[in-house]
């Protein structure tokens, strides 16, 4: 990931800031409190806002008070693609090569976690916050926590915990399966009993259904008879009720007709009075219209006054604009001169840029050469002395090889002699009582008495003498071998120093080839040219802004002229309208309005008469229609009443109350009998269903038990596999921790040694058990001994903390593209600040992009791109040094 641009609006000290970044070392510099760290926080929030561990209400808490909406917009490159993340208080979005891929805040944070860097990697390896450099080495708990995260130990422990939880769950499942399997015989017995009860219940249901069908047929016959007689009874009751309602409705409708006829007469009288008032209204209408028109005309008096004031103001403004626009020609001439100067300066800048790069490379080589020279000096060697000793080593190797061959031959010779001596002694023992000589294989009696033993003793004496001689020689050879091996033991160290010497020679040759002094002059000229180019660009921007302002004045002039013309036309129109009405002044208009005041007031009091007449006519029409409806209703009700009377007489002739009561009694008795039969049948069917469900459950239980028997075998196998897996995870965790600690120890030790000019030889990281608890201990190598961090000064602890954090970054990310340091120099003395500049120039250039926030001006010497932040009520950002243009 490489950051390209962050746009910040209304965030902390920033109202509107745009910060662009380049590859290489980016330095954000400015006084404390200017808003430098807020830029890093804006990048961090853009990436991870919405992460579960991110504080809620973060944007609202960091918004500038009394300003518009807060927004952050981050552009970065990753894996060959361009991304843009936008965050506001209302919405979020993530674009990939201009295509929207996420909108929800939490989805964006999840995407960054999965595709860029996890939050713990970013905060513990890439982003070193202000004040956190020393804390990691002084607080054992923080160190333990960060190392566990960076080394990935927590992942292994999570895997161990998860596998242990799964094992516990599998064991619980195994016990449950065993208990279930134990119930198999009981379930099989219950199933046989349920199947027997099911057969008995089916027989009972068959008998009850036959009885239910017989009763149902009888009830249906009685129901038809009962419904027929009940219908006749209800018809009689309904007709009686209908006649009573009709008689009541008829009386009510006749009364309503009388009231409506009276209301019609009243409305006619009121309508006649309003017609007289309408005639008077028509007489007053022309006078009222004249009054209104003159009132509108009188309002033009104030408008004319405003127009004359506006005309005066616009004429003065037009004169002012014409004076300002006269300056444009001078500015255009100046802009042309500045552009030509900028082009010349840019060509010089481009020429010197490559020379500056060569100078930076030469400085890096010079730093490496000095480092290699000091390393040789600390070891007490010069290049010549080193080469001489290496030649001695080669000679010693050849001598040792020959010496080892000679030692091997001497040992073989001694072993051979000792074997021959042992054989002779054995032969001497066999001579007693022997007939054949073991030495010459001739008969014993052919030798003189004692001759054989004498020969044996002489031979043994000669062998012993020779063994002694070879033993002394072997001792001398061994002493020389020890001397040579001591000499050869120095070979690894000398080889390492030889590599350093080769690098030193190579660096010196490169420096001679590059011509450092001439490059240094060109580099200084490059910086001066760069500053000059920045100044020219600022001046060009200022002149262009002024010309743009003058462009706006031209438009403004045309707008003023147009407005002036419009006002003049408006004034002429007002005077014309006054003349057309026959008035010489607005005072005459006012006098005529006074004469028309009284007729106008009377006109207003009668203005709603037409509306009232229209409303009365509508009411009269409605009342007449309602009266006609009432008459029609009265005729209809009388006809319906006569018809109902005749229908009632016919119904009473065909109905007997005694027959109705007998039919009702028989129907109810048979219905109750049928209900009892159906209830009994329903109970039997419910029992049948219950038994069937029980059978299904029992069969299902048997299936579950058989399934459990198969599952139990799988669970037992899974338990064995998981137990082995958990043991393997424990081994891998230990190996990964050991490897990680060694790598971090090596990286941090080298950086710390360099920052302290070799005063300290490195660091040691190892696990120690104290007070029954294991934790990682950090020791410093000083003069061949291990010392604690309390041995260090304050500045040395800062240096160690910085070296440790950089080591974590270089270890964890590997192909690290980005590193962010927030105020890395607090409490560092001048010497260590200079050393930090060297480390930034050498070590951190291995990383494609580094962003550093600092108030320390010395860091500018190591930076490719310098951004200065100032604050006068709000943060302001400007490029101070271009780096790669």
């Amino acid at each position: 990931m490489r950051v390209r641009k962050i746009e910040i609006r209304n965030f902390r000290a920033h109202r509107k800031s745009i910060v662009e970044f380049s590859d290489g070392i980016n330095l954000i510099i400015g006084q404390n409190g200017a808003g430098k760290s807020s830029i890093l926080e804006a990048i961090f929030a853009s990436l991870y806002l919405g992460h579960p561990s991110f504080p809620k209400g973060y944007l609202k808490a960091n918004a500038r008070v009394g300003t518009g909406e807060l927004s952050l917009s981050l552009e970065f490159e990753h894996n060959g693609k361009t991304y843009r993340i936008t965050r506001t208080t209302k919405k979020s979005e993530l674009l990939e090569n201009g295509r929207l891929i996420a909108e929800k805040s939490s989805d964006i944070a999840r995407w960054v976690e999965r595709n860029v860097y996890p939050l713990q990697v970013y905060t513990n390896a890439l982003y070193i916050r202000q004040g956190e450099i020393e804390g990691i080495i002084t607080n054992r708990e923080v160190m333990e926590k960060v190392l566990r995260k960076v080394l990935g130990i927590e992942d292994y422990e999570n895997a161990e915990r998860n596998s242990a939880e799964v094992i516990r769950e599998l064991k619980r499942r195994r016990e449950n399966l065993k208990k279930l399997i134990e119930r198999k015989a009981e379930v099989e017995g219950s199933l046989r009993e349920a199947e027997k009860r099911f057969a008995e219940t089916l027989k009972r249901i068959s008998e009850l259904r036959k009885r239910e069908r017989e009763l149902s047929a009888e009830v249906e016959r009685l129901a038809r008879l009962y419904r027929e007689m009940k219908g006749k009874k209800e018809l009689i009751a309904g007709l009686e009720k209908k006649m009573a309602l009709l008689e009541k409705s008829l009386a009510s409708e006749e009364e309503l007709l009388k009231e409506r006829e009276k209301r019609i007469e009243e409305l006619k009288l009121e309508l006649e009075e309003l017609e007289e008032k309408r005639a008077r209204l028509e007489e007053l209408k022309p006078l009222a219209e004249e009054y209104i028109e003159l009132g509108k005309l009188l309002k033009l008096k104030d408008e004319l006054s405003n127009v004359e004031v506006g005309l005066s103001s616009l004429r003065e403004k037009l004169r002012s604009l014409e004076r300002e626009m006269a300056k444009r020609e001078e500015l255009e001439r100046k802009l042309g001169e500045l552009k030509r100067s900028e082009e010349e300066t840019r060509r010089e800048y481009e020429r010197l840029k490559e020379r500056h790069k060569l100078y930076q490379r030469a400085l890096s080589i010079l730093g490496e050469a000095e480092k290699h020279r000091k390393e040789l000096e600390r070891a007490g060697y010069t290049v010549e002395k080193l080469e001489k000793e290496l030649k001695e080593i080669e000679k010693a190797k050849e001598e040792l090889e020959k010496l080892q061959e000679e030692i091997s031959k001497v040992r073989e010779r001694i072993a051979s002699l000792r074997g021959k001596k042992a054989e002779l002694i054995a032969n001497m023992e066999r001579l007693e009582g022997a007939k054949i000589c073991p030495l010459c294989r001739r008969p014993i009696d052919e030798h003189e008495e004692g001759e054989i033993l004498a020969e044996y003793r002489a031979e043994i004496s000669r062998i012993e003498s020779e063994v002694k001689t070879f033993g002394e020689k072997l001792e001398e050879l061994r002493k020389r071998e020890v001397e040579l091996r001591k000499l050869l033991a120095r070979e690894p160290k000398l080889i390492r120093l030889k590599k350093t010497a080769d690098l030193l020679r190579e660096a010196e040759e490169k420096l001679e080839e590059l011509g450092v002094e001439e490059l240094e002059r060109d580099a200084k000229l490059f910086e001066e040219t760069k500053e000059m180019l920045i100044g020219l660009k600022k001046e060009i921007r200022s002149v262009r802004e002024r010309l743009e302002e003058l462009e706006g004045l031209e438009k403004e002039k045309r707008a003023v002229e147009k407005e002036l013309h419009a006002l003049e036309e408006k004034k002429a129109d007002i005077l014309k309208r006054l003349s057309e009405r026959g008035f010489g002044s607005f005072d005459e208009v006012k006098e005529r309005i006074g004469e028309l005041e009284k007729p106008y007031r009377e006109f207003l009091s009668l203005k709603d008469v037409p509306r009232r007449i229209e409303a009365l006519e509508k009411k009269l029409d409605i009342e007449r229609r309602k009266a006609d409806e009432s008459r029609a209703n009265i005729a209809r009700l009388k006809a319906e009443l006569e018809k109902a009377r005749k229908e009632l007489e016919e119904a009473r002739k065909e109905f007997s109350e005694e027959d109705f009561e007998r039919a009702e009694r028989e129907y109810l008795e048979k219905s109750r009998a049928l209900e009892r039969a159906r209830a009994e049948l329903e109970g039997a069917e419910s029992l049948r269903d219950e038994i069937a469900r029980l059978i299904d459950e029992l069969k299902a239980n048997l299936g579950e038990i058989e399934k459990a028997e198969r599952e139990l075998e799988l669970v037992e196998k899974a338990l064995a596999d998981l137990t082995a897996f958990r043991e393997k995870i424990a081994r891998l965790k230990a190996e990964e921790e050991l490897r990680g600690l060694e790598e971090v120890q090596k990286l941090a030790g080298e950086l710390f040694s360099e920052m302290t000019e070799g005063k300290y030889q490195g660091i040691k990281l190892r696990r120690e058990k104290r007070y029954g608890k294991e934790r990682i201990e950090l020791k410093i190598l000083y003069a061949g001994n291990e010392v604690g961090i309390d041995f260090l000064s304050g500045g040395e602890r800062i240096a160690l903390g910085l070296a440790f954090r950089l080591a974590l970054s270089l270890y964890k990310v590997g192909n690290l593209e980005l590193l962010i340091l927030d105020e890395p120099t607090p409490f560092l003395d001048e010497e260590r600040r200079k050393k930090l500049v060297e480390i930034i120039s050498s070590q951190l250039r291995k990383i494609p992009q580094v962003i550093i926030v600092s108030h320390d001006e010395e860091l500018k010497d190591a930076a490719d791109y310098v951004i200065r932040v100032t604050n006068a009520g709000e943060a302001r950002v400007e490029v101070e040094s271009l780096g790669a243009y």
Side-chain angles (χ1 to χ4, degrees):
M1 171 187 171
R2 301 190 195 185
V3 179
R4 289 305 174 216
K5 183 166 68 173
I6 180 75
E7 297 181 18
I8 308 170
R9 291 180 182 272
N10 302 318
F11 178 78
R12 294 190 177 177
H14 295 267
R15 186 180 65 82
K16 180 182 178 182
S17 298
I18 299 175
V19 188
E20 296 183 350
F21 298 92
S22 72
D23 290 345
I25 309 296
N26 295 261
L27 176 64
I28 303 174
I29 197 162
Q31 295 299 315
N32 291 332
K36 306 185 299 298
S37 298
S38 297
I39 297 172
L40 303 186
E41 279 299 307
I43 296 172
F44 179 52
S46 298
L47 290 169
Y48 294 101
L49 188 67
H51 191 279
S53 63
F54 217 88
K56 292 183 179 179
Y58 178 87
L59 289 182
K60 189 177 289 185
N62 286 278
R64 282 175 62 85
V65 178
T67 59
E69 183 181 14
L70 182 153
S71 72
L72 305 173
S73 183
L74 174 69
E75 292 183 15
F76 63 94
E77 295 174 1
H78 188 64
N79 291 337
K81 296 180 180 179
T82 300
Y83 296 92
R84 184 182 182 95
I85 296 176
T86 302
R87 306 278 197 173
T88 72
T89 51
K90 296 178 181 177
K91 68 173 185 177
S92 297
E93 67 176 20
L94 167 61
L95 302 179
E96 179 186 81
N97 291 338
R99 180 176 61 87
L100 181 67
I101 60 173
E103 289 184 280
K104 196 175 179 182
S105 183
S106 57
D107 290 343
I108 295 172
R110 225 178 350 260
W111 183 91
V112 173
E113 275 263 315
R114 187 170 57 251
N115 296 285
V116 186
Y117 298 118
L119 179 63
Q120 68 178 28
V121 172
Y122 187 89
T123 54
N124 291 300
L126 273 72
Y127 181 20
I128 304 177
R129 277 192 170 101
Q130 183 176 350
E132 293 184 1
I133 294 175
E134 182 184 5
I136 194 170
I137 61 167
T138 56
N139 188 321
R140 289 291 185 270
E141 291 182 4
V142 171
M143 183 195 295
E144 181 80 22
K145 183 178 180 182
V146 171
L147 280 171
R148 285 164 63 81
K149 285 184 177 179
V150 172
L151 300 181
I153 303 306
E154 286 189 347
D155 296 334
Y156 285 104
E157 290 180 346
N158 289 336
E160 281 188 286
R161 281 195 296 274
N162 293 337
S163 59
E165 182 60 34
V166 174
I167 288 171
R168 284 194 294 275
E169 185 59 36
L170 285 173
K171 287 180 179 179
R172 285 195 293 271
R173 181 61 179 162
R174 181 175 62 184
E175 293 306 312
N176 293 336
L177 289 171
K178 287 180 178 179
K179 290 177 183 178
L180 181 60
I181 292 168
E182 289 170 359
R183 294 182 57 242
K184 186 173 182 179
E186 177 188 344
V187 172
E188 288 174 340
S190 299
L191 179 60
R192 288 191 295 272
E193 179 64 27
E195 288 173 340
K196 180 180 177 183
R197 289 179 61 202
F198 185 74
E200 293 172 353
T201 305
L202 288 178
K203 182 179 179 182
R204 175 64 178 157
I205 289 171
S206 178
E207 294 171 353
L208 289 171
R209 280 179 178 165
K210 182 180 178 183
R211 171 66 177 156
E212 188 266 343
R213 284 194 296 272
E214 292 172 353
L215 286 170
S216 182
E218 182 65 18
V219 167
E220 182 61 29
R221 183 186 66 78
L222 291 171
R224 283 196 299 273
L225 177 61
Y226 171 69
R227 284 195 298 272
E228 183 181 345
M229 298 188 74
K230 185 179 180 182
K232 290 178 180 180
K233 184 176 181 178
E234 290 173 349
L235 176 60
I236 291 169
L239 289 169
E240 289 174 345
K241 184 177 181 181
K242 182 178 180 181
M243 285 183 66
L245 288 172
L246 287 170
E247 289 170 351
K248 184 177 179 181
S249 297
L250 180 60
S252 176
E253 197 66 38
E254 288 172 343
E255 184 64 29
L256 183 60
L257 178 59
K258 291 178 183 178
E259 291 177 1
R260 284 175 174 166
E261 288 173 343
K262 181 181 178 182
R263 178 62 180 155
I264 288 169
E265 292 302 320
E266 292 173 352
L267 289 172
K268 285 179 179 180
L269 292 173
E270 189 176 351
L271 191 59
E272 290 174 0
E273 293 176 1
L274 287 174
E275 286 292 345
E276 294 175 358
K277 290 182 178 181
R278 180 157 62 180
R280 175 59 179 162
L281 180 66
E282 289 299 323
E283 294 174 3
L284 295 170
K285 186 175 180 182
L287 296 175
E289 289 175 350
E290 183 182 1
Y291 178 86
I292 292 169
E293 286 299 318
L294 292 178
K296 293 178 181 177
L297 186 63
L298 187 62
K299 288 180 180 177
L300 293 176
K301 181 181 179 181
D302 293 336
E303 190 172 347
L304 179 62
S305 177
N306 292 335
V307 166
E308 289 174 343
V309 171
L311 285 170
S312 176
S313 175
L314 288 172
R315 289 185 184 110
E316 178 58 33
K317 187 173 183 180
L318 188 60
R319 287 191 293 273
S320 176
L321 289 172
E322 288 170 347
R323 286 194 299 272
E324 283 294 316
M325 289 173 63
K327 300 175 183 177
R328 178 172 180 175
E329 185 178 343
E330 175 64 22
L331 287 172
E332 287 177 343
R333 184 190 61 75
K334 184 177 181 181
L335 179 61
E337 292 175 357
L338 288 171
K339 282 183 176 179
R340 287 190 294 276
S341 180
E342 183 206 21
E343 186 61 32
E344 292 171 2
T345 307
R346 186 189 298 278
R347 284 196 296 270
E348 179 67 6
Y349 175 86
E350 291 296 336
R351 185 185 72 79
L352 293 170
K353 183 167 66 174
E354 294 302 320
R355 300 288 291 167
H356 180 264
K357 288 181 180 178
L358 286 174
Y359 179 63
Q360 292 296 322
R361 182 183 168 201
L363 287 180
S364 178
I365 294 170
L366 192 62
E368 290 176 8
E370 186 63 24
K371 175 184 174 184
H372 300 324
R373 187 177 289 105
K374 286 182 179 179
E375 187 175 347
L376 286 173
E377 289 174 358
R378 284 196 295 271
Y381 281 90
T382 62
V383 174
E384 294 75 15
K385 181 181 177 182
L386 181 63
E387 289 177 348
K388 181 181 177 182
E389 290 197 9
L390 282 170
K391 288 178 182 177
E392 291 175 359
I393 291 289
E394 290 301 319
K395 290 179 182 177
K397 282 183 182 178
E398 294 174 3
E399 184 181 350
L400 180 63
E401 186 178 349
K402 293 176 182 177
L403 188 66
Q404 286 175 335
E405 290 178 3
E406 192 172 351
I407 287 172
S408 178
K409 289 177 182 177
V410 170
R411 282 175 175 167
E412 290 175 3
R413 181 61 179 156
I414 291 172
S416 174
L417 290 170
R418 284 174 176 167
K420 193 171 182 180
K421 176 183 174 182
E423 185 180 353
L424 290 171
I425 292 171
N427 287 339
M428 287 176 68
E429 292 174 352
R430 288 199 297 272
L431 276 175
E432 188 175 351
K435 294 180 178 180
I436 300 298
C437 174
L439 190 62
C440 64
R441 310 307 296 172
R442 292 182 291 144
I444 292 293
D445 54 13
E446 292 183 6
H447 293 275
E448 294 181 6
E449 186 177 355
E451 181 185 356
I452 296 174
L453 290 175
E455 290 176 1
Y456 273 37
R457 289 190 186 97
E459 183 66 16
I460 288 170
S461 175
R462 186 187 65 77
I463 289 171
E464 287 176 347
S465 175
E466 194 173 350
V467 167
K468 182 179 179 183
T469 301
F470 277 109
E472 290 171 353
K473 185 175 182 181
L474 179 63
E475 186 64 28
E476 291 174 2
L477 291 172
R478 282 174 175 169
K479 288 179 181 177
R480 182 56 181 162
E481 182 185 24
V482 171
E483 292 173 0
L484 290 174
R485 288 195 182 280
K486 285 181 180 179
L487 180 61
L488 291 175
R490 295 163 56 194
E491 184 182 21
K493 178 182 177 182
L494 294 176
I495 289 173
R496 287 196 300 273
L497 292 173
K498 177 65 168 58
K499 290 180 181 177
T500 302
D502 291 343
L503 291 171
L504 174 59
R505 186 181 293 107
E506 183 182 343
E508 289 173 343
E509 289 172 357
K510 287 180 181 177
L511 287 171
E512 186 176 352
E513 181 184 340
L514 289 171
V516 178
E517 292 181 1
E518 186 178 347
L519 284 174
E520 184 178 5
R521 287 194 300 274
D522 286 349
K524 289 179 180 177
L525 185 57
F526 170 78
E527 293 296 336
E528 293 170 2
T529 306
K530 184 165 56 176
E531 294 300 321
M532 186 185 300
L533 186 58
I534 291 171
L536 285 170
K537 288 178 73 66
K538 288 180 179 178
E539 194 170 355
I540 288 170
R541 185 166 59 246
S542 175
V543 172
R544 279 177 173 163
E545 287 172 357
R546 182 61 182 146
L547 282 171
E548 286 173 3
E549 290 176 6
L550 292 178
E551 282 289 336
L553 291 177
E554 179 67 34
K555 294 177 183 177
E556 188 176 355
K557 178 188 174 187
R558 289 196 294 272
V560 169
E561 289 173 342
K562 185 177 179 181
E563 190 177 352
L564 186 64
H565 181 68
L567 286 178
E568 287 172 345
E569 287 184 344
K570 190 171 184 180
K571 177 181 178 181
D573 181 64
I574 291 171
L575 295 174
K576 181 181 177 184
R577 289 171 64 183
L578 183 66
S579 176
E580 286 174 350
R581 293 291 299 180
F583 293 101
S585 68
F586 282 105
D587 291 336
E588 294 176 7
V589 175
K590 189 173 182 181
E591 182 179 349
R592 177 57 180 160
I593 288 173
E595 294 171 358
L596 295 171
E597 179 76 26
K598 186 176 180 182
Y600 178 70
R601 298 294 179 193
E602 185 180 357
F603 173 80
L604 290 178
S605 67
L606 298 173
K607 196 172 182 181
D608 67 335
V609 167
R611 181 185 57 76
R612 289 168 61 193
I613 289 172
E614 185 181 353
L616 274 176
E617 287 174 344
K618 287 180 180 179
K619 286 182 181 180
L620 183 60
D621 186 53
I622 290 168
E623 289 298 328
R624 284 170 176 165
R625 285 200 303 273
K626 287 182 178 180
D628 291 341
E629 288 173 3
S630 293
R631 294 184 190 98
N633 286 340
I634 288 169
R636 178 180 56 77
L637 288 170
K638 286 179 179 179
E640 288 180 4
L641 186 60
E642 183 60 28
K643 182 181 177 183
R645 187 179 292 110
K646 289 178 181 179
E647 288 176 355
L648 180 59
E649 289 174 357
E650 289 297 324
R652 282 174 175 165
K653 291 177 183 178
E654 298 175 358
F655 179 74
S656 168
E657 185 68 33
E658 183 179 348
D659 292 342
F660 172 74
E661 290 176 355
R662 182 172 61 254
E664 183 180 31
R665 186 170 55 253
E666 290 177 357
Y667 169 69
L668 291 175
E669 288 174 355
K670 288 296 182 180
S671 293
R672 282 193 287 271
L674 178 60
E675 287 175 2
R676 288 194 295 272
R678 283 177 174 169
E680 192 173 352
L681 175 61
E682 186 179 347
E685 288 177 339
S686 177
L687 179 60
R688 175 202 62 194
D689 294 341
E690 185 178 344
I691 295 171
R693 282 195 298 273
L694 177 61
I695 290 171
D696 290 342
E697 288 176 6
L698 291 170
K699 287 180 178 179
N701 286 343
L702 278 176
E704 288 294 323
I705 290 170
E706 291 169 357
K707 182 180 176 182
E709 289 173 338
R710 294 190 297 272
E711 187 181 346
L712 183 59
E713 295 178 4
L714 297 175
V715 168
E716 294 287 3
K717 184 177 183 304
L719 274 171
D721 292 344
L722 270 173
T723 302
F725 171 74
R726 191 159 181 261
E727 292 171 354
K728 186 175 181 181
I729 287 291
R731 288 196 303 274
L732 289 173
K733 181 185 78 171
E735 292 169 3
E736 179 66 18
E737 182 179 32
L738 180 60
R739 186 186 69 79
L741 287 177
E742 289 176 351
E743 184 66 19
V744 171
Q745 170 184 290
K746 179 176 178 294
L747 290 169
E750 290 174 355
L751 289 170
F752 183 53
S753 179
E754 183 176 350
M755 292 180 74
T756 56
E757 297 286 343
K759 177 181 178 181
Y760 300 100
Q761 291 75 53
I763 68 168
K764 284 288 183 183
L765 288 172
R766 57 172 172 266
R767 282 206 167 274
E768 292 184 359
K769 195 167 186 178
R770 288 190 178 184
Y771 310 112
K773 183 179 180 181
E774 273 195 358
R775 66 179 183 180
I776 294 172
E777 288 292 331
L778 170 63
K779 297 293 184 182
I780 297 91
L781 299 180
Y782 175 70
N785 298 315
E786 293 183 9
V787 297
I789 62 171
D790 293 337
F791 184 81
L792 305 176
S793 67
E796 288 172 341
R797 275 191 282 186
I798 295 294
L800 177 59
L802 181 60
F804 197 78
R805 293 303 296 262
L806 293 176
L808 290 177
S809 300
L810 295 170
Y811 164 77
K812 182 62 182 177
V813 184
N815 59 343
L816 182 67
E817 287 193 329
L818 173 65
L819 179 63
I820 300 174
L821 301 174
D822 190 0
E823 291 290 0
T825 61
F827 310 112
L828 290 180
D829 56 28
E830 182 180 358
E831 196 61 36
R832 286 187 178 78
R833 284 200 302 275
K834 290 180 180 178
K835 182 54 66 176
L836 178 60
V837 172
E838 292 178 14
I839 289 175
I840 291 171
S841 299
S842 58
Q843 296 289 343
L844 297 195
R845 289 195 182 281
K846 299 173 184 176
I847 301 170
Q849 186 181 54
V850 178
I851 300 173
I852 304 173
V853 161
S854 179
H855 64 276
D856 196 333
E857 298 286 338
E858 287 183 49
L859 293 185
K860 289 168 63 177
D861 296 336
D864 300 313
Y865 188 65
V866 179
I867 302 160
R868 184 168 293 277
V869 180
T870 57
N871 194 321
E874 64 181 57
R876 293 189 179 276
V877 178
E878 63 178 2
V879 176
E880 181 171 306
S881 179
L882 291 176
Y885 191 78

